[in-house]
Amino acid sequence: MNEFEKKELRQDMELMKKYLSYYLREPEYGSTAGKILRDMKMSRGKRLRPRLLLMASRYGENYQTVRKRLCRLGALVELIHMASLVHDDIVDDAPLRRGLPTTQARYGKDMAVYAGDLILSRIVQSLFRDGFMKLGACFGDTVEAMCLGELGQMQCRGREDFTVSQYMRNIYGKTAALCRLACIAGAVESGCGEEVVRQLEELGVNFGYMFQIRDDLLDFVSNTVKEGKPTQADFREGIYTLPVIYALQDQKIRPGIIRLIHMAKEECFGSREEEELKALVIEGGGIRRASEDMESCAKRAMQAIENLPDHGVSKVFRELLVL
Ligand code: FPP
Ligand code: MG
């Protein structure tokens, strides 16, 4: 990307943030709703999904003429992400997100449920008002996939027979579906042809998988504690991520992990057990095999970039995929 294109991307991100503020405007009545939305405007996200959308749009020949619409779409994709986190924090009873109290901690769970719904209603309004008819169905499919992913995760909770394919299905909803939407929306709106849309879809999905597997691996290989979350929170909650699933497949290691699963169910899972789990997961090849899967997803995403027409933005996409 040359300096001019980089500047344009920065400008678009700024406009996207303005639209985001507009979509989070205070309602005519309901002072608590107003406060919640004001808090949300202050949240410091990385805005990764709108960035994906804007980058994907660079492959389309109309992107210059639809820049404002692309910025709106970017804000709408970010709003889905925000609404889903408000609801996720309720389910997780999370006190903090990005260093700030969550909506549910500050205003209570009931208010937080409705605030998430309010954001979803703003998304639907804009999709119709701004005439995003073709993409509207895609937004709907994505929210459905996200709900199914979370329902799937709940259903699989605590199950020792949880499989890799069930895990992949769940993380499709949790992370990959929205990255896919971001890439498709940018591509469709800017007028990309069918094949380019397909490659960008492939890029978005695999980027999302890679991102989530990496997050799940970090629980085992990094010592940094996630804000407000105890370490190995997923395992304690009965959510088994890819490294654990793989380690469970090792018949020598399995009994040790099953014992820890039972201890977690009885809430006897302390820091000693945590260390034991990490050691078992490493010994059972969980880290190695999950890392291999993550690399396969990155490779698939890289291949999609290679299949796209040559463009300066491809380099920026490649940089996002560096593990
Ligand atoms: C975070 O998981 C969860 C998500 C990214 C997806 C949540 C999806 C829903 C609640 C369903 C869709 C709902 C709407 C309103 C669109 P995590 O708890 O593993 O990660 P965390 O550490 O960031 O909380
Ligand atoms: Mg959570």
Side-chain angles (χ1 to χ4, degrees):
M1 247 178 156
N2 62 32
E3 284 313 309
F4 178 73
E5 289 167 332
K6 278 188 195 156
K7 189 172 158 212
E8 273 191 340
L9 189 58
R10 276 199 301 275
Q11 285 170 340
D12 286 357
M13 284 299 286
E14 285 311 307
L15 184 58
M16 182 282 296
K17 284 182 204 161
K18 289 204 175 111
Y19 283 129
L20 196 55
S21 290
Y22 169 72
Y23 291 132
L24 293 170
R25 68 193 177 278
E26 288 189 32
E28 275 166 29
Y29 68 93
S31 59
T32 307
K35 278 189 211 152
I36 297 177
L37 295 182
R38 224 177 303 147
D39 283 358
M40 280 187 187
K41 277 193 227 173
M42 315 294 276
S43 74
R44 298 177 299 241
K46 295 186 288 292
R47 315 296 185 222
L48 177 65
R49 291 148 190 90
R51 191 177 290 281
L52 285 179
L53 185 146
L54 292 168
M55 283 166 58
S57 76
R58 272 34 184 184
Y59 293 98
E61 54 183 23
N62 304 336
Y63 103 84
Q64 280 289 1
T65 46
V66 291
R67 267 175 80 187
K68 283 190 182 155
R69 287 175 65 78
L70 290 164
C71 296
R72 276 185 184 269
L73 280 171
L76 294 177
V77 166
E78 185 66 12
L79 281 182
I80 296 188
H81 181 52
M82 286 173 126
S84 75
L85 294 182
V86 169
H87 282 181
D88 176 68
D89 288 335
I90 299 168
V91 176
D92 289 353
D93 209 9
L96 290 173
R97 173 149 317 258
R98 296 175 193 133
L100 297 171
T102 56
T103 310
Q104 68 96 23
R106 192 151 186 194
Y107 301 93
K109 287 185 188 286
D110 297 5
M111 284 286 188
V113 170
Y114 296 134
D117 295 343
L118 180 64
I119 300 174
L120 288 178
S121 80
R122 294 260 166 100
I123 298 169
V124 177
Q125 287 173 48
S126 170
L127 287 172
F128 279 94
R129 285 215 179 102
D130 299 321
F132 292 118
M133 295 308 166
K134 211 164 135 193
L135 284 172
C138 243
F139 271 71
D141 292 345
T142 304
V143 175
E144 174 170 340
M146 293 172 75
C147 294
L148 291 175
E150 291 309 287
L151 286 164
Q153 181 174 284
M154 283 214 143
Q155 235 175 349
C156 298
R157 232 175 183 151
R159 296 194 59 146
E160 294 154 20
D161 58 352
F162 187 42
T163 64
V164 173
S165 70
Q166 281 167 329
Y167 166 86
M168 292 304 284
R169 224 178 301 147
N170 293 345
I171 69 164
Y172 174 76
K174 177 177 281 200
T175 312
L178 198 49
C179 295
R180 169 182 179 265
L181 174 69
C183 288
I184 291 183
V188 169
E189 189 60 25
S190 65
C192 292
E194 232 173 79
E195 180 53 21
V196 174
V197 175
R198 211 178 63 76
Q199 295 300 336
L200 282 164
E201 173 180 5
E202 179 77 4
L203 169 55
V205 171
N206 283 294
F207 174 79
Y209 281 137
M210 184 204 86
F211 197 73
Q212 188 58 49
I213 298 175
R214 179 167 58 188
D215 199 55
D216 290 339
L217 269 164
L218 281 177
D219 265 356
F220 290 92
V221 295
S222 143
N223 289 321
T224 46
V225 181
K226 273 195 199 161
E227 272 167 345
K229 255 192 162 181
T231 43
Q232 299 303 336
D234 283 337
F235 189 85
R236 287 171 205 267
E237 299 287 326
I239 297 167
Y240 308 131
T241 56
L242 197 54
V244 175
I245 302 170
Y246 276 133
L248 275 167
Q249 289 177 358
D250 182 317
Q251 294 312 314
K252 282 204 304 293
I253 298 299
R254 188 176 172 86
I257 298 185
I258 299 280
R259 189 178 59 82
L260 292 173
I261 286 178
H262 292 155
M263 289 183 81
K265 282 183 183 166
E266 284 153 27
E267 294 182 27
C268 307
F269 191 85
S271 51
R272 222 181 58 183
E273 285 71 26
E274 236 176 68
E275 288 310 312
E276 213 180 309
L277 175 67
K278 276 191 191 176
L280 285 169
V281 166
I282 294 170
E283 209 188 323
I287 306 292
R288 180 184 48 79
R289 293 179 71 190
S291 304
E292 282 165 10
D293 285 3
M294 177 179 71
E295 276 159 29
S296 304
C297 295
K299 259 192 204 142
R300 266 182 237 129
M302 283 289 189
Q303 187 56 54
I305 300 174
E306 299 317 314
N307 297 344
L308 282 164
D310 193 29
H311 191 290
V313 79
S314 298
K315 182 170 174 276
V316 188
F317 266 125
R318 278 189 210 102
E319 283 163 8
L320 279 183
L321 288 168
V322 174
L323 299 168

mmCIF file of all heavy atoms in Angstrom, residues 30-48:
data_model
loop_
_atom_site.group_PDB
_atom_site.id
_atom_site.type_symbol
_atom_site.label_atom_id
_atom_site.label_comp_id
_atom_site.label_asym_id
_atom_site.label_seq_id
_atom_site.Cartn_x
_atom_site.Cartn_y
_atom_site.Cartn_z
ATOM 1 N N GLY A 30 -35.105 7.505 28.256
ATOM 2 C CA GLY A 30 -34.385 6.372 28.851
ATOM 3 C C GLY A 30 -32.989 6.804 29.229
ATOM 4 O O GLY A 30 -32.056 6.685 28.446
ATOM 5 N N SER A 31 -32.861 7.357 30.443
ATOM 6 C CA SER A 31 -31.558 7.933 30.785
ATOM 7 C C SER A 31 -30.502 6.858 31.016
ATOM 8 O O SER A 31 -29.326 7.061 30.723
ATOM 9 C CB SER A 31 -31.673 8.849 32.000
ATOM 10 O OG SER A 31 -32.158 8.096 33.083
ATOM 11 N N THR A 32 -30.917 5.682 31.531
ATOM 12 C CA THR A 32 -29.902 4.637 31.738
ATOM 13 C C THR A 32 -29.402 4.146 30.384
ATOM 14 O O THR A 32 -28.195 3.946 30.191
ATOM 15 C CB THR A 32 -30.466 3.452 32.544
ATOM 16 O OG1 THR A 32 -31.039 3.975 33.723
ATOM 17 C CG2 THR A 32 -29.383 2.454 32.902
ATOM 18 N N ALA A 33 -30.329 3.985 29.443
ATOM 19 C CA ALA A 33 -29.918 3.550 28.096
ATOM 20 C C ALA A 33 -28.893 4.540 27.551
ATOM 21 O O ALA A 33 -27.880 4.145 26.956
ATOM 22 C CB ALA A 33 -31.132 3.471 27.184
ATOM 23 N N GLY A 34 -29.149 5.833 27.756
ATOM 24 C CA GLY A 34 -28.229 6.867 27.289
ATOM 25 C C GLY A 34 -26.855 6.697 27.908
ATOM 26 O O GLY A 34 -25.839 6.778 27.214
ATOM 27 N N LYS A 35 -26.844 6.415 29.225
ATOM 28 C CA LYS A 35 -25.551 6.257 29.914
ATOM 29 C C LYS A 35 -24.800 5.037 29.390
ATOM 30 O O LYS A 35 -23.587 5.072 29.177
ATOM 31 C CB LYS A 35 -25.789 6.066 31.422
ATOM 32 C CG LYS A 35 -26.010 7.347 32.160
ATOM 33 C CD LYS A 35 -26.009 7.069 33.659
ATOM 34 C CE LYS A 35 -26.915 8.049 34.360
ATOM 35 N NZ LYS A 35 -27.507 7.553 35.594
ATOM 36 N N ILE A 36 -25.548 3.970 29.181
ATOM 37 C CA ILE A 36 -24.894 2.735 28.700
ATOM 38 C C ILE A 36 -24.259 2.988 27.322
ATOM 39 O O ILE A 36 -23.114 2.620 27.063
ATOM 40 C CB ILE A 36 -25.901 1.557 28.627
ATOM 41 C CG1 ILE A 36 -26.425 1.221 30.027
ATOM 42 C CG2 ILE A 36 -25.265 0.337 27.971
ATOM 43 C CD1 ILE A 36 -27.487 0.125 30.065
ATOM 44 N N LEU A 37 -25.029 3.632 26.454
ATOM 45 C CA LEU A 37 -24.507 3.873 25.108
ATOM 46 C C LEU A 37 -23.309 4.824 25.158
ATOM 47 O O LEU A 37 -22.346 4.676 24.401
ATOM 48 C CB LEU A 37 -25.605 4.416 24.191
ATOM 49 C CG LEU A 37 -26.757 3.437 23.910
ATOM 50 C CD1 LEU A 37 -27.767 4.048 22.952
ATOM 51 C CD2 LEU A 37 -26.248 2.122 23.325
ATOM 52 N N ARG A 38 -23.371 5.807 26.088
ATOM 53 C CA ARG A 38 -22.231 6.721 26.239
ATOM 54 C C ARG A 38 -20.983 5.939 26.669
ATOM 55 O O ARG A 38 -19.898 6.155 26.152
ATOM 56 C CB ARG A 38 -22.555 7.794 27.274
ATOM 57 C CG ARG A 38 -22.131 9.176 26.818
ATOM 58 C CD ARG A 38 -22.532 10.236 27.824
ATOM 59 N NE ARG A 38 -23.957 10.264 28.103
ATOM 60 C CZ ARG A 38 -24.504 10.580 29.288
ATOM 61 N NH1 ARG A 38 -23.738 10.887 30.311
ATOM 62 N NH2 ARG A 38 -25.820 10.593 29.445
ATOM 63 N N ASP A 39 -21.165 5.025 27.624
ATOM 64 C CA ASP A 39 -20.028 4.181 28.054
ATOM 65 C C ASP A 39 -19.448 3.414 26.876
ATOM 66 O O ASP A 39 -18.247 3.248 26.740
ATOM 67 C CB ASP A 39 -20.484 3.120 29.076
ATOM 68 C CG ASP A 39 -20.691 3.723 30.454
ATOM 69 O OD1 ASP A 39 -20.446 4.933 30.614
ATOM 70 O OD2 ASP A 39 -21.099 2.964 31.359
ATOM 71 N N MET A 40 -20.357 2.913 26.036
ATOM 72 C CA MET A 40 -19.887 2.087 24.912
ATOM 73 C C MET A 40 -19.052 2.886 23.933
ATOM 74 O O MET A 40 -18.115 2.370 23.335
ATOM 75 C CB MET A 40 -21.069 1.492 24.184
ATOM 76 C CG MET A 40 -21.549 0.305 24.924
ATOM 77 S SD MET A 40 -22.789 -0.490 23.985
ATOM 78 C CE MET A 40 -23.237 -1.659 25.194
ATOM 79 N N LYS A 41 -19.437 4.141 23.770
ATOM 80 C CA LYS A 41 -18.659 4.999 22.859
ATOM 81 C C LYS A 41 -17.228 5.127 23.346
ATOM 82 O O LYS A 41 -16.311 5.342 22.564
ATOM 83 C CB LYS A 41 -19.293 6.397 22.809
ATOM 84 C CG LYS A 41 -20.432 6.492 21.852
ATOM 85 C CD LYS A 41 -20.761 7.948 21.632
ATOM 86 C CE LYS A 41 -22.263 8.143 21.742
ATOM 87 N NZ LYS A 41 -22.675 9.529 21.699
ATOM 88 N N MET A 42 -17.046 5.030 24.668
ATOM 89 C CA MET A 42 -15.705 5.202 25.251
ATOM 90 C C MET A 42 -14.872 3.922 25.170
ATOM 91 O O MET A 42 -13.693 3.940 25.472
ATOM 92 C CB MET A 42 -15.782 5.602 26.732
ATOM 93 C CG MET A 42 -16.783 6.688 27.046
ATOM 94 S SD MET A 42 -16.307 8.231 26.286
ATOM 95 C CE MET A 42 -15.184 8.793 27.522
ATOM 96 N N SER A 43 -15.519 2.789 24.829
ATOM 97 C CA SER A 43 -14.778 1.524 24.889
ATOM 98 C C SER A 43 -13.631 1.531 23.870
ATOM 99 O O SER A 43 -13.773 2.058 22.765
ATOM 100 C CB SER A 43 -15.714 0.339 24.641
ATOM 101 O OG SER A 43 -16.035 0.294 23.283
ATOM 102 N N ARG A 44 -12.536 0.935 24.307
ATOM 103 C CA ARG A 44 -11.338 1.016 23.453
ATOM 104 C C ARG A 44 -11.070 -0.311 22.754
ATOM 105 O O ARG A 44 -10.246 -1.080 23.194
ATOM 106 C CB ARG A 44 -10.125 1.359 24.315
ATOM 107 C CG ARG A 44 -10.207 2.689 25.006
ATOM 108 C CD ARG A 44 -8.990 2.860 25.871
ATOM 109 N NE ARG A 44 -8.937 1.802 26.890
ATOM 110 C CZ ARG A 44 -8.965 2.030 28.199
ATOM 111 N NH1 ARG A 44 -9.032 3.236 28.639
ATOM 112 N NH2 ARG A 44 -8.909 1.029 29.056
ATOM 113 N N GLY A 45 -11.789 -0.542 21.700
ATOM 114 C CA GLY A 45 -11.542 -1.786 20.957
ATOM 115 C C GLY A 45 -10.468 -1.555 19.905
ATOM 116 O O GLY A 45 -10.111 -0.420 19.604
ATOM 117 N N LYS A 46 -9.985 -2.641 19.337
ATOM 118 C CA LYS A 46 -8.977 -2.508 18.278
ATOM 119 C C LYS A 46 -9.616 -2.188 16.936
ATOM 120 O O LYS A 46 -8.946 -1.847 15.986
ATOM 121 C CB LYS A 46 -8.175 -3.821 18.152
ATOM 122 C CG LYS A 46 -7.349 -4.148 19.376
ATOM 123 C CD LYS A 46 -6.476 -5.367 19.168
ATOM 124 C CE LYS A 46 -7.231 -6.682 19.143
ATOM 125 N NZ LYS A 46 -7.857 -7.147 20.379
ATOM 126 N N ARG A 47 -10.954 -2.364 16.871
ATOM 127 C CA ARG A 47 -11.707 -2.128 15.631
ATOM 128 C C ARG A 47 -11.134 -2.942 14.470
ATOM 129 O O ARG A 47 -10.962 -2.451 13.345
ATOM 130 C CB ARG A 47 -11.730 -0.633 15.245
ATOM 131 C CG ARG A 47 -12.032 0.323 16.394
ATOM 132 C CD ARG A 47 -13.413 0.156 16.970
ATOM 133 N NE ARG A 47 -13.708 1.164 17.980
ATOM 134 C CZ ARG A 47 -14.336 0.910 19.121
ATOM 135 N NH1 ARG A 47 -14.729 -0.314 19.430
ATOM 136 N NH2 ARG A 47 -14.610 1.873 19.975
ATOM 137 N N LEU A 48 -10.806 -4.174 14.796
ATOM 138 C CA LEU A 48 -10.194 -5.056 13.810
ATOM 139 C C LEU A 48 -11.158 -5.424 12.676
ATOM 140 O O LEU A 48 -10.771 -5.467 11.502
ATOM 141 C CB LEU A 48 -9.735 -6.332 14.539
ATOM 142 C CG LEU A 48 -9.132 -7.428 13.694
ATOM 143 C CD1 LEU A 48 -7.835 -6.945 13.074
ATOM 144 C CD2 LEU A 48 -8.872 -8.673 14.539
#
